[in-house]
Each structure stands twice: as structure tokens, then as C-alpha cells.
Amino acid sequence: MTDDLFRSDAYLRECRARVVRADEAGIVLDRTVFYPQGGGQAGDSGHLLVADGREVAIADTRKGKDAEGRATDEIVHLPAPGQSELLGTLKPDDAVTARIDWERRHKLMRFHTATHLLCHLVPQPVNGCSITPEYARLDFHMTDPLDKEALTTGLARLVAAGHPLAVSAITDAELDANPALVKSMSVQPPRGTGTVRTIRIGDAEQIDFQPCGGTHVANTREIGQVIVTKIEKKSATTRRVVLGWAA
Ligand SMILES: [Zn+2]
């Protein structure tokens, strides 16, 4: 399995690592700061710096899959096309520096944290989520209309309040006893290790608390100016809220 350093520190921009295997289908390292696409959040891009100073461009990051298509504990760095010669020189146990595109990731962290604030403002089940550097969207399972301006104002208030974010964990048994903690209908928290990672926003006043495996900023103030750019009625029972950066 790959040691996923971003889970305990989302602010790590690079790490030293060793190659487990490398070919055009993907590069697996023993540890990484690259977040693999999941929970609606886009995978990281960046570079792997090789000992002789050359760089392998990484276009995207995914979870590994076994022969039956089930997710494994491996993280696969997908090389940008046209690097077969350089990839051919990478051997198991080679030392590399894995460095993410931090500007892009920071946008993902800011948007991702903003989607948690939306969950506070719209306390309805979520049945879809997509977080990219350019926009984020959440689909709420609900029939009532939503007000774009009111949500933008609500987000601005929660950002300005500077609520801290804390990462913790609960046991599978605690989660089973509190099924309402899972607000997402589309993404189930990863089980199997006995504990589930949780995100709490706010200390004196709890803004949001739910299982989440993504990357977040440490304080809501760091989100900056996000606005609701669109509210769509995707179906009779789905309202889609799209977030963008303020101009
Ligand atoms: Zn999250």
C-alpha cells in the first residue's frame, strides 16, 4: 500500500519517496503527497523529480484497482503522455521527490472546504459532488428552491468567521450508531480499517461534522471569496449548487 501523507497533513507540497513500480500505465511510490481522485475531489497533478534532475510530469492521480476493479490501497500517479523514454529509466527502489502542483491543490482544498460550509447552509442529503480547481458543485436531494444570493452571503459569513477545521476519526461502531453523520448518499465513508476519518468545522459552534477523506484548509478564512454562480434544478428531487471564485 502507499503511505498517503496528505491524510495527516494536507499542506505537504512534496515528499521524498521510492519507486515501487513505474510504466506508462502509472507510477506507484511507497509514499506520496498526491491525492487520488475520490469523494468528488479531483486527483492531483505535479511532478516527480528524478535523481539526475529530470522531471516526470504527472497529469492525474487515481486509486489503484485490483483485477476485479475494486479500489486498492495503492495510489497511482498517471504520467502525462510522451514520457516513455524517461519512464523506461525508472526502476524499483529509485529515489524521487514527489511534488504536487500546489496552486491547483490549494484551490481544490479551498473549494472542498467551502462545500462543507454549503452542507451547513443546506442541511439536506447530498447525492452528488464534484470539486475541480475552476468550480465545485454539490447536488442536494431536495424539492424546495434555493436562493443564490442568500447562499453566497451565508458562505461569506462563514468564511469571515474564521472557523477552524479539525481532522479526527471515529470507529466504525460509532458511525453505525450515528448514521445521520453521513450526509452523502453518493459517497460512502471508506471502511475496513476499523476507523473512519472525520472532519469537524468550528469549535464552540459546530458548523459541520462528517466522515470525509479529502483535503481541506485549516481555517475557513483561507477559503477566500467564493460565490454561488448557479443553482440548477437537475431533477424533481435534485438541486445543484455550483460554486466559483469571485471575480
Ligand atoms: Zn471534506
Side-chain angles (χ1 to χ4, degrees):
M1 70 178 277
T2 313
D3 189 5
D4 46 8
L5 304 177
F6 52 86
R7 298 238 187 258
S8 48
D9 185 356
Y11 287 87
L12 285 174
R13 302 181 187 199
E14 63 176 55
C15 70
R16 298 289 292 159
R18 293 204 174 265
V19 173
V20 175
R21 63 169 189 276
D23 55 43
E24 282 178 82
I27 302 156
V28 176
L29 306 173
D30 62 344
R31 59 212 294 265
T32 191
V33 291
F34 282 68
Y35 179 82
Q37 181 191 70
Q41 184 178 328
D44 280 329
S45 61
H47 289 87
L48 303 184
L49 284 63
V50 185
D52 63 6
R54 292 186 293 176
E55 298 184 359
V56 180
I58 302 301
D60 200 354
T61 311
R62 298 293 167 90
K63 288 183 183 127
K65 285 206 174 105
D66 66 14
E68 277 80 49
R70 289 175 302 228
T72 67
D73 289 333
E74 278 188 347
I75 292 171
V76 184
H77 307 78
L78 303 180
Q83 302 181 99
S84 51
E85 197 184 326
L86 177 51
L87 287 168
T89 67
L90 278 184
K91 297 181 303 296
D93 215 36
D94 278 359
V96 298
T97 296
R99 181 181 294 163
I100 55 171
D101 178 343
W102 170 251
E103 208 177 314
R104 181 176 177 279
R105 156 70 89 71
H106 193 227
K107 285 181 180 163
L108 293 169
M109 287 162 58
R110 291 162 63 202
F111 263 153
H112 186 134
T113 310
T115 64
H116 284 275
L117 300 185
L118 260 188
C119 286
H120 171 78
L121 296 170
V122 185
Q124 302 291 339
V126 172
N127 60 12
C129 171
S130 181
I131 297 157
T132 78
E134 292 81 31
Y135 68 88
R137 60 174 168 76
L138 271 188
D139 294 339
F140 291 100
H141 183 74
M142 62 188 296
T143 52
D144 291 337
L146 289 168
D147 185 301
K148 196 166 106 171
E149 305 307 325
L151 287 181
T152 292
T153 304
L155 283 172
R157 172 176 54 82
L158 293 166
V159 168
H163 293 290
L165 183 142
V167 178
S168 186
I170 56 173
T171 65
D172 288 355
E174 285 171 313
L175 183 59
D176 290 336
N178 297 279
L181 283 179
V182 182
K183 294 167 186 173
S184 171
M185 304 158 72
S186 54
V187 182
Q188 280 302 308
R191 294 175 181 254
T193 60
T195 59
V196 173
R197 186 174 188 263
T198 57
I199 299 300
R200 182 189 301 274
I201 298 178
D203 42 24
E205 180 194 1
Q206 183 173 297
I207 304 300
D208 191 39
F209 179 64
Q210 60 177 301
C212 186
T215 60
H216 311 80
V217 293
N219 188 290
T220 59
R221 201 175 289 124
E222 200 176 320
I223 294 170
Q225 283 191 295
V226 291
I227 55 171
V228 175
T229 58
K230 209 184 328 182
I231 290 175
E232 291 175 88
K233 185 177 175 180
K234 290 301 287 180
S235 76
T237 55
T238 303
R239 297 290 178 278
R240 170 169 290 181
V241 180
V242 185
L243 299 178
W245 303 116

